[in-house]
Amino acid sequence: QVQLVESGGGLVQAGGSLTLSCVASGSIFKINAMGWYRQAPGQQRELVATFTSVRSTNYADSVKGRFTISRNNAKDTVYLQMNSLKPEDTAVYYCNAKVVVTSLYEYDYWGRGTQVTVSS
């Protein structure tokens, strides 16, 4: 079993910054991909930023130039630095990881989410 725990959400004014963290723990053999998605009320969950491989990243067009994803492989942790936040960034942010567990099967895991609210 693998757990993903997010932290760092909160309330911030437009133009402000927040940094989200997600730590993976449990029966991890290898993490193949790790990243962030978000879901606003009444909307579908959407990709924000992910590592698709060790060095390759993918960003939603709406956050390019404002958000930066980074990771610490030694700590099985991924971060999301969010700058120049806008009210439309308000959502629950979820961490996602594709993890090869100790049985050598790959599974898709989700955190429980952290709320980000940007006031205008």
Side-chain angles (χ1 to χ4, degrees):
Q1 188 70 295
V2 172
Q3 297 80 39
L4 303 179
V5 178
E6 303 104 332
S7 62
L11 173 64
V12 64
Q13 289 189 331
S17 298
L18 282 174
T19 300
L20 305 183
S21 301
C22 172
V23 180
S25 62
S27 304
I28 299 170
F29 177 78
K30 178 185 174 185
I31 298 177
N32 284 335
M34 202 167 182
W36 295 93
Y37 290 71
R38 67 186 180 187
Q39 187 168 18
Q43 298 192 18
Q44 290 188 335
R45 192 171 298 188
E46 63 177 3
L47 179 146
V48 178
T50 64
F51 278 96
T52 55
S53 66
V54 174
R55 293 183 180 85
S56 297
T57 57
N58 186 27
Y59 289 90
D61 288 342
S62 60
V63 307
K64 284 180 180 177
R66 300 188 298 122
F67 292 10
T68 303
I69 191 170
S70 61
R71 66 192 294 180
N72 183 326
N73 292 327
K75 296 183 177 181
D76 290 332
T77 300
V78 66
Y79 306 94
L80 185 68
Q81 174 67 44
M82 305 185 293
N83 297 326
S84 303
L85 282 160
K86 304 175 181 180
E88 51 263 44
D89 295 317
T90 296
V92 178
Y93 283 69
Y94 295 93
C95 180
N96 172 262
K98 293 174 173 44
V99 181
V100 178
V101 297
T102 51
S103 62
L104 301 185
Y105 286 97
E106 182 184 276
Y107 295 96
D108 201 29
Y109 291 95
W110 292 91
R112 302 182 77 170
T114 184
Q115 177 71 46
V116 172
T117 303
V118 184
S119 63
S120 57

